[in-house]
Structure formats: C-alpha cells, structure tokens
Amino acid sequence: MTQLEAARLGIATEEMKLCADKEGVTPEVIRRGVEEGSIVVIRNNLHNSIVPLAVGRGLRTKINANIGTSQDHADVALELKKVEACAASGADALMDLSTGGDIRSIRQAIMKASPMAVGTVPIYSAAANAMNRRKSIMEMTADDLFQAIEENGEDGVDFITVHCGVTRESVGRIEAQGRLLGIVSRGGSITARWMDYNDSENPLYAQYDRLLEIARRYDMVLSLGDGLRPGCLADATDRGQVQELIVLGELCRRARMQDVQVMIEGPGHVPYYQIEANISLQKSLCEGAPFYVLGPLPTDIAPGYDHITAAIGGALAGAAGADFLCYVTPSEHLRLPNLEDVHEGIMASRIAAHIADIAKGYPGAMEKDALMAKHRSEFNWEGQIELSIDPGRSRSWLERSESAKEEGCTMCGEFCAIKLGKKDAHRQ
Amino acid sequence: MTQLEAARLGIATEEMKLCADKEGVTPEVIRRGVEEGSIVVIRNNLHNSIVPLAVGRGLRTKINANIGTSQDHADVALELKKVEACAASGADALMDLSTGGDIRSIRQAIMKASPMAVGTVPIYSAAANAMNRRKSIMEMTADDLFQAIEENGEDGVDFITVHCGVTRESVGRIEAQGRLLGIVSRGGSITARWMDYNDSENPLYAQYDRLLEIARRYDMVLSLGDGLRPGCLADATDRGQVQELIVLGELCRRARMQDVQVMIEGPGHVPYYQIEANISLQKSLCEGAPFYVLGPLPTDIAPGYDHITAAIGGALAGAAGADFLCYVTPSEHLRLPNLEDVHEGIMASRIAAHIADIAKGYPGAMEKDALMAKHRSEFNWEGQIELSIDPGRSRSWLERSESAKEEGCTMCGEFCAIKLGKKDAHRQ
C-alpha cells in the first residue's frame, strides 16, 4: 500500500507518524496533507534505513543538495565525502545527479551512505548507457528509460525527477516563441532532442501509466521536472514554461488517481518580480502539490556567488509558498562543486528556508531567533555558537580580546552597544 | 550654495551633471530629485577629488561598505587596504567607522585614499576623545560632539550618520514597551546612556539647527541614523523604532528648509514579512527621502553568513524602494571584518542591489543579464567572465577539460543542455 493509498483509507502510517514527530504536528495533519496532495512523504518502500521526509504545506521548508559525478570528474570517494558533508551541514535530502563513471554502482554507494532521502534523474543513466552501448544518446529507447527507472526503484531511490511535461506541444510553444537560451535542463534538453531525432512523443508522457506503475510499486515520489525551465531571466515565465506547467498539473492529478505521490519542480532563472507569480501559478495549476524550486536565481550575472543569488530567490519563493528548495552552489555555471561548495550551498539554502519559515509563520521558527537575541543580550557566547546555523564557523571565527573580556567581542570592544545598554555601564 | 539650494533655484550644478552622466539620466532628473528631496547628491564641498554620488528614486541602487578600526584592532595600513578592496570590488561609498587609534588621522588617511564618497559617525570620535581625555564616554559634552562634526566637515567627509531621533520621547517608548535586546546601534546606545547619565535631551535634537548650520557649510549630507533600530527580529517595528522614524521625518523637513540634504537610515534586524512595510513607512513618514538600509537582516541565527542574510533582506528592501544598501560582512556578530570579508560583503550587496534594480525596472539592469545569457548560448567564456560580477573569481574557478573542449564546462561535459540544444548535437 502506498502512503497516498493509506491516507485515502484514513490510515496514518508509521512513516506519517515518524514525519509528524519530526515536524511537531499530529499524524493526522500529515495524513490529511498526503490525501489532498499538499504533502508528500518521501521514502522508497525498500529504503528502510532512513527516516522518511515530509515536504509540503504547513511543514518546515526543506532543502535539497545536489551531488554526483560528471564525465570529467567521476570520483566515487569524493561523492561519498559530499554525502557526509550534506549530512553534517544539515541538508534534508540529496540528489545524485551522476552522469559519469558507473552510474548505478555510484548510486548504490551513495544510497548506502546517505542518512537522508535520495533523489535521482533516471534519464541520466539511461542516456549514459545509450551513449556507451549504442554510441549516441539519440539511440536511447523508451525501454532503456523505463528500465533505468525500474533500477532506481530497486535501488531504493526515494524520489525521481521525470521530465514528463516536455511534450511536442510544450516544446512547440518554446520554438514558436523563441528563446535566448533554449532548453537548459539536461533532462529536458536530452528529451527534446530525442523527440526531434526520433520523431516521437516523450515516452514519459506517452507511456505515463507505465511510469506510474513503477513509481507505485516502490512508492517513489515523482518530482515532475521542469524540463523547460528558463535558463536566463529573459526566458522566464514564457509560454513554453507555462504550457509545461499546465501539462504537469494534469499529470499530477493522474498520478494521484493511481496513488502515486507527486511534487512539482519549478524554475530556474526568474526575475525577482516574477517569483511570487510563479509560485501562485504552480499552486493553482497543480492543485496544491508541493513545489520544489531550483533556486530560483533572480540574476544571471553572478557566477561564483550563485548560492547567494539562489538564497535571495529561494527566500522569496519560500515565503510565497514554495515547500522545498534545491540548493545552488557557488560553483554553478563554472565547475563541478567541491566539498566546500556543497557546505556553502547548503548553508545559504538553509538560511533562505529559515527566513521563509518565519515569514510563513511556521511554529517555532521565530523562537530560535528570539533565543539567539537572548543569548546576545546575556553575552552567552556558548549559547550563540550552539544555536548558530554553523557552530563550527561561529566558534572558529569568534575573536575575543582582553579588552572585550567577558562582555563584547573585538568588533566593537568598549563601544559595544549592548554593554553600554546595561544599566551600570556608565560607571566604568 | 548647497546642492539643494541650487536645485531650488532651478540650477543643474556641475555635480548634478556628473551624476546624471554616470546614471544615464538628464541633469534635470537629478535636479528635480534633489529639489523634491527624493535624491541626494553626496559630496562635501571641500572633497573635490571624487566624483559625487547620487542616491535616490529612479537611480541605480547603491551600496556602501563599512570599514574602520576598533580599539582591539587599530591598524591603519589594513584599513587602507580595505579602501582598495572597496574600490576594486565595486562599492559606491564607504563609511569609516573607526573607534580605535587616532581616529582623526585614520579618517584623513582614508579620505585621501578613497576614490569614492566617504561617510562617518562623528559621535564615535567624540566619544573616544571623551574616554581618553575625561575618563568616560558619559563626560562627553555637547560641544565635544559638535566639534567632532565640524572636524568631519573640515576633513571633507561627504555624509555623516547622526542619531538625532534618539530623544527622550523615543527612548521612553522603547523603555515602556520593553525590548529583548535594547538598543544595538553604537551611536544610539551611547546617546541614550549619555542622556540618562546627564539627565539631558540629545544635543543633536535639542540643538539641531547648530547641526544644520555645520552640514550646510560643507554641504554634508545628513544620514539621519536609526539609533533605535531593532537588534533582533523580536524587537522589529516596535513603537520606539517607529517613534524615532516619525521624529526623523520632522527633522528631514527642517533640514530641507535649511537647504541641507537628508537621507534616512533604516533597520536592522527585521522579519522578512515586515520589510516591505518598513520601506513604505519610511517613504511616507519622511516624504520620499532616500532610504539607506542596514541589511536588513531577516534572521538572527546565521553569524558567519550574515552577508547572505543581508543580501536576502536587501534585495527585498531594494525591490520595495530602498535606495542605498549598507553591506554586512560574513564576520558581523563575530569579529572585525578582514579584507576577504569586505570583498564578500560587497559582492553579496551588489547582487542584492542588481536584483532589486531589475525588479524596479531600472533602465539597463535586465540588459546585462540578457547579454550574459547570449554569451552562455554562444559558449563565449571570455564574455561571461568579463560580464560577471567578479571576473577574477569567474576566471580562476572556471574549469575546462578536454572532453568539454570549446563547448561546455566540466560541470555537465557531454550532458551540456545548451550543447545538446544546438541543432547538430545529435550527430556527434
């Protein structure tokens, strides 16, 4: 029985109870959310080593970290270190986006190491296999693709990105309107080119029920991918992007009818003033499904700092109702992220999610900030360090000097406003 | 004749023309803005070595970097390196917030080195002098304070933060309501404690005309400081803060009547959902004066990453109409910033300002992003590097490999969506 099937039958499952505990809500809140589709409980039914992850309305905003090899850098040991970094830095989930090396064995190693939910993009392994075996991605068959999805299910993958909305109709609208940067989603681009080359509809759309059958068997959450997301501000919220979202809304309903849980992926590069509209549109077209946003990035000109750009976009998206933020690392657009990039990306994304949670009125979010203020007013440095988002950095950066003594830090010294504010300050 | 006096007489000054050139508007746009008070042209009339800086409605959102010694770290050479870093990283202005060492000679050295407008907080040197000569900040006299302001004017300082709204009335409202973290502005805290200890009104309020007379003489822009800004989310937008803003609105009008230009400083630590309201409130209460925001910081729990927190708040504030963003460095709340912190803080702030400029519809802002997208679509790596916000980082981080060749980078390699999108991609 899938989580959605159970929810429909009024059953609060063990998974829902575990999620409810973590979220500080009743199991009934989770069950009702799953039933109506506003919450997904993410865990492959073969993946019992992890605590399931709930994502959706009324819950804490979650963040995902992408890791994975490329064809130029396929170092499994490094990827496993990234898994550790994801856990240590506080990611809620990770996606293995490997496209280089033995993708399946890398995935299995990552699954084994990860204490958190794992997502993948199965078309990457299908495409890599086609390239290796048949000399071209274009020779990939529909069966290759479904086999890759099946293997991901067998391996215990908890959620998969599937670009089902990249259809002749939506790609046609992209082409009719014209774009500065075309299709920038790797899966979306592979799909669109494959459709063109093979003169065929997208198998994940044409044979959507076959996909649902596999997803249902493993209770894998479908993350309906935005293969047509804009790759630059100039292409944002165009007719092709919105056409895809309409299709995803229809597919979302069909998945629910087969007891398959769904979330929707969102852009991408989007001007700041369009971000809230994008969230409203998704929530409306997809009947309240959880929204998993990639950034969004409200400028194109800041490579090397795209974690900051994504945090700016992510905070606004989250405050407007996005449920799940995909991190972006400082290396985006320049190189494959290293360990430090993973850490920086997660921190930026966690800050955005927390700011959004305060804006959403998520219970307990603002209380953390109030406790930090209390520690500051009491010069409780240890409390500040422990409550801070990165205690390791806080501890190593905090400089104290003789003049600052127990009170103040080296930034203000004798000019510490809080110290001055103490009633006896003027007696010194 | 001050800029405001000239503007009133219908004269577009040389300074206004220089600003107009830099902004890509007509001198009349600047003149009218100065006349109505929505734009300030920042340059002390003795400081002819710099190009004046225009800040306000309809203009590019500007960013300021704070530097300066503390009593624990008073290294002039380091501060001069920070000036260089500010210029190299693209700050529009800097503030010398020195509180340690020989403050006046440090200021003079910074003024000499800076190619951009310089602001200060004169109460710091007045307080430091009182501490050194009279053994306590509380022994500072009103004359000490006005003398420090006069010296700042003589030294060519372009804008000064003056906490004129920290009055018995506004401090009384803080005390009546109660705060978790009290007063966190250094100048505000010194002023409030001084008022209490000396049982006197704030000299900058009681003798405001004396301040205006000095400011007018040097055409120094008054940055009416938010001495009662909240130091934590829990204290944000409380009655004391808003009371101070009301007073600043009144003082803003009085300054304009004496031909003195004014901008208003804003919070501080503010929950995300209150940021837009704070901007609206300031614009309304202060009759359209330029708003100079310190962050704002929409969470308290991210020391070590407060540049990111400030960029999240600054983008929203800027999009809502803030004109001038004060950077926050990663070191905020932990230690005095080092050179790298200055650079990181400026970059984060510039990203926020640019995102805000796109949201505001500032002419030319979005065009940069479109050009970056064009460079990406053409694999024009040199163009991307040059257009990026930090060309040095982009160049050093960009990794290219054999497999990526002319097209793609090591992040995606053969899976590059843009490469796949080229019409002949499937032939490879």
Side-chain angles (χ1 to χ4, degrees):
Chain A
M1 193 168 8
T2 69
Q3 294 298 318
L4 180 46
E5 198 176 353
R8 282 232 174 83
L9 295 170
I11 301 166
T13 62
E14 274 314 303
E15 288 81 359
M16 294 175 200
K17 286 175 187 163
L18 288 167
C19 290
D21 266 3
K22 276 207 297 185
E23 298 286 334
V25 298
T26 64
E28 174 58 15
V29 167
I30 305 287
R31 189 207 62 77
R32 201 182 325 116
V34 172
E35 182 181 7
E36 71 187 16
S38 64
I39 289 174
V40 290
V41 169
I42 302 178
R43 187 171 75 175
N44 182 309
N45 58 23
L46 298 176
H47 195 201
N48 293 317
S49 59
I50 64 156
V51 177
L53 178 70
V55 169
R57 192 168 62 201
L59 307 181
R60 183 173 60 78
T61 305
K62 305 304 189 300
I63 72 133
N64 174 75
N66 291 335
I67 64 167
T69 60
S70 71
Q71 298 193 304
D72 294 308
H73 292 296
D75 176 353
V76 188
L78 175 60
E79 297 310 318
L80 293 180
K81 279 189 195 147
K82 288 183 189 170
V83 173
E84 277 175 44
C86 289
S89 305
D92 297 296
L94 66 83
M95 288 191 79
D96 170 19
L97 305 187
S98 290
T99 56
D102 179 346
I103 294 177
R104 188 166 193 188
S105 76
I106 293 166
R107 175 168 68 238
Q108 289 168 337
I110 288 173
M111 292 292 307
K112 200 170 160 190
S114 175
M116 68 203 91
V118 176
T120 60
V121 186
I123 198 173
Y124 293 170
S125 52
N129 283 340
M131 210 155 54
N132 296 335
R133 293 180 200 154
R134 305 205 171 96
K135 308 295 179 211
S136 164
I137 291 178
M138 295 306 130
E139 306 296 331
M140 180 179 68
T141 65
D143 286 346
D144 288 344
L145 191 48
F146 286 106
Q147 190 196 323
I149 292 167
E150 182 79 46
E151 286 172 1
N152 274 272
E154 283 170 12
D155 290 344
V157 168
D158 303 293
F159 61 106
I160 54 172
T161 292
V162 276
H163 302 93
C164 307
V166 178
T167 63
R168 293 189 146 183
E169 182 182 27
S170 56
V171 173
R173 288 214 150 80
I174 294 276
E175 287 171 355
Q177 180 164 4
R179 266 193 174 182
L180 198 46
L181 209 45
I183 302 176
V184 298
S185 150
R186 292 190 292 196
S189 185
I190 292 169
T191 303
R193 292 269 61 80
W194 185 95
M195 287 161 61
D196 182 44
Y197 183 81
N198 292 284
D199 195 19
S200 298
E201 183 54 280
N202 177 359
L204 294 180
Y205 181 74
Q207 304 178 50
Y208 186 61
D209 287 328
R210 190 173 167 188
L211 171 64
L212 293 180
E213 193 275 321
I214 302 172
R216 187 192 161 97
R217 195 142 25 84
Y218 299 102
D219 208 356
M220 277 194 296
V221 171
L222 294 186
S223 189
L224 293 178
D226 52 341
L228 304 183
R229 69 173 175 271
C232 62
L233 303 198
D235 292 341
T237 324
D238 67 355
R239 293 188 282 275
Q241 181 198 324
V242 177
Q243 183 65 62
E244 181 187 33
L245 191 60
I246 290 172
V247 173
L248 295 184
E250 291 169 346
L251 297 178
C252 174
R253 180 181 285 190
R254 282 176 61 189
R256 288 176 183 168
M257 288 169 69
Q258 299 300 318
D259 294 327
V260 171
Q261 300 184 93
V262 172
M263 54 189 178
I264 308 288
E265 291 182 20
H269 294 243
V270 186
Y272 199 66
Y273 66 90
Q274 291 180 5
I275 289 176
E276 287 171 297
N278 268 271
I279 311 296
S280 297
L281 201 59
Q282 180 275 345
K283 290 281 177 185
S284 176
L285 293 175
C286 301
E287 304 173 42
F291 201 17
Y292 176 29
V293 291
L294 313 182
L297 292 170
T299 180
D300 303 332
I301 66 162
Y305 301 86
D306 276 327
H307 62 310
I308 295 177
T309 303
I312 291 171
L316 183 55
D323 306 282
F324 196 16
L325 308 181
C326 186
Y327 88 165
V328 175
T329 79
S331 281
E332 186 79 16
H333 300 106
L334 294 173
R335 64 179 183 194
L336 205 68
N338 59 31
L339 281 175
E340 192 188 337
D341 294 329
V342 168
H343 177 78
E344 295 295 307
I346 290 171
M347 287 299 158
S349 203
R350 284 183 59 203
I351 290 168
H354 179 66
I355 287 169
D357 281 338
I358 294 170
K360 282 172 175 171
Y362 177 72
M366 180 86 167
E367 282 72 3
K368 268 195 192 170
D369 294 66
L371 185 57
M372 178 63 93
K374 186 165 176 290
H375 291 330
R376 284 185 172 145
S377 79
E378 293 167 352
F379 300 100
N380 176 352
W381 297 102
E382 197 55 36
Q384 290 177 55
I385 290 168
E386 280 168 20
L387 192 61
S388 68
I389 201 156
D390 185 356
R393 177 174 290 186
S394 295
R395 193 179 299 282
S396 72
W397 282 21
L398 186 67
E399 277 178 15
R400 307 284 305 290
S401 68
E402 260 314 293
S403 83
K405 294 199 203 86
E406 282 310 299
E407 301 184 345
C409 65
T410 61
M411 184 150 185
C412 304
E414 288 300 313
F415 279 72
C416 173
I418 300 172
K419 199 154 121 186
L420 283 163
K422 301 284 172 191
K423 279 295 174 191
D424 58 346
H426 51 74
R427 292 201 202 103
Q428 46 177 252
Chain B
M1 194 168 8
T2 69
Q3 296 297 318
L4 180 47
E5 198 175 354
R8 282 230 175 85
L9 295 172
I11 301 166
T13 62
E14 274 313 303
E15 288 80 359
M16 294 176 201
K17 286 174 188 164
L18 288 167
C19 291
D21 266 0
K22 275 207 297 187
E23 297 287 334
V25 297
T26 63
E28 174 59 15
V29 167
I30 306 286
R31 190 207 61 77
R32 199 183 324 116
V34 172
E35 181 181 9
E36 73 188 14
S38 64
I39 290 175
V40 290
V41 169
I42 302 177
R43 186 171 76 175
N44 183 309
N45 57 23
L46 299 177
H47 195 199
N48 293 316
S49 59
I50 65 157
V51 177
L53 176 71
V55 169
R57 194 167 62 201
L59 306 181
R60 184 172 59 80
T61 305
K62 306 303 190 301
I63 72 134
N64 174 75
N66 291 335
I67 64 168
T69 60
S70 72
Q71 299 194 304
D72 295 309
H73 293 295
D75 177 354
V76 188
L78 175 60
E79 297 310 318
L80 293 179
K81 279 189 194 148
K82 288 184 190 169
V83 173
E84 276 176 42
C86 289
S89 304
D92 297 296
L94 65 83
M95 288 191 79
D96 170 19
L97 305 187
S98 291
T99 57
D102 180 345
I103 294 176
R104 188 166 193 188
S105 77
I106 293 166
R107 174 168 70 239
Q108 289 169 336
I110 289 173
M111 292 292 306
K112 200 171 160 189
S114 175
M116 67 203 91
V118 175
T120 60
V121 186
I123 198 173
Y124 294 170
S125 52
N129 283 340
M131 209 154 57
N132 296 335
R133 294 178 199 154
R134 305 203 171 97
K135 308 295 179 211
S136 164
I137 291 178
M138 296 306 130
E139 306 296 330
M140 181 178 68
T141 66
D143 286 347
D144 289 343
L145 190 49
F146 286 106
Q147 191 196 324
I149 292 166
E150 182 79 44
E151 286 172 2
N152 275 271
E154 283 170 13
D155 290 343
V157 168
D158 303 292
F159 62 107
I160 54 173
T161 292
V162 275
H163 302 94
C164 307
V166 178
T167 63
R168 292 188 147 184
E169 182 183 26
S170 56
V171 173
R173 288 214 149 81
I174 293 277
E175 286 171 356
Q177 180 165 2
R179 266 192 175 182
L180 198 45
L181 208 45
I183 301 175
V184 298
S185 148
R186 292 189 293 195
S189 185
I190 291 168
T191 303
R193 292 269 60 80
W194 185 95
M195 287 160 62
D196 183 44
Y197 182 81
N198 292 284
D199 195 20
S200 299
E201 183 54 279
N202 176 0
L204 295 180
Y205 181 74
Q207 303 178 51
Y208 186 61
D209 287 327
R210 189 174 168 189
L211 171 63
L212 292 180
E213 193 275 322
I214 303 172
R216 187 192 160 95
R217 195 141 25 84
Y218 299 102
D219 208 357
M220 277 194 295
V221 172
L222 294 186
S223 189
L224 293 178
D226 52 341
L228 303 183
R229 68 173 176 270
C232 62
L233 303 197
D235 292 342
T237 325
D238 67 355
R239 293 188 282 274
Q241 181 199 325
V242 178
Q243 182 66 62
E244 180 187 33
L245 192 59
I246 289 172
V247 174
L248 296 184
E250 291 168 346
L251 297 178
C252 174
R253 180 180 287 190
R254 282 176 60 192
R256 288 176 183 169
M257 289 169 69
Q258 298 301 318
D259 294 327
V260 171
Q261 300 183 93
V262 172
M263 54 188 178
I264 308 289
E265 292 182 19
H269 293 243
V270 186
Y272 199 67
Y273 65 91
Q274 292 180 5
I275 288 176
E276 287 171 298
N278 267 271
I279 311 295
S280 297
L281 200 58
Q282 181 275 344
K283 290 282 178 186
S284 177
L285 293 175
C286 301
E287 304 173 43
F291 201 16
Y292 177 27
V293 292
L294 314 182
L297 292 171
T299 180
D300 303 331
I301 67 163
Y305 301 87
D306 276 327
H307 62 312
I308 295 177
T309 303
I312 291 171
L316 183 56
D323 306 283
F324 196 15
L325 308 182
C326 186
Y327 89 164
V328 175
T329 79
S331 281
E332 186 77 18
H333 299 106
L334 294 173
R335 64 179 183 194
L336 204 69
N338 59 31
L339 280 175
E340 191 189 338
D341 294 330
V342 168
H343 177 78
E344 295 295 307
I346 290 171
M347 287 299 157
S349 203
R350 283 184 58 201
I351 291 168
H354 179 65
I355 287 169
D357 280 338
I358 294 170
K360 283 172 174 171
Y362 178 72
M366 180 86 168
E367 282 71 6
K368 269 194 193 171
D369 294 66
L371 184 57
M372 178 64 94
K374 185 165 176 291
H375 291 330
R376 284 185 172 145
S377 79
E378 293 168 352
F379 299 101
N380 176 352
W381 297 103
E382 198 55 36
Q384 290 176 55
I385 290 168
E386 280 167 20
L387 192 61
S388 68
I389 201 155
D390 186 356
R393 177 174 290 185
S394 295
R395 193 179 299 282
S396 73
W397 282 20
L398 187 66
E399 278 179 13
R400 307 285 305 291
S401 69
E402 260 314 293
S403 84
K405 295 196 201 89
E406 282 309 300
E407 300 186 346
C409 66
T410 61
M411 184 151 183
C412 304
E414 288 299 313
F415 279 72
C416 172
I418 300 171
K419 200 155 118 186
L420 283 163
K422 301 283 172 192
K423 278 296 175 193
D424 59 344
H426 51 74
R427 291 202 201 102
Q428 47 177 252

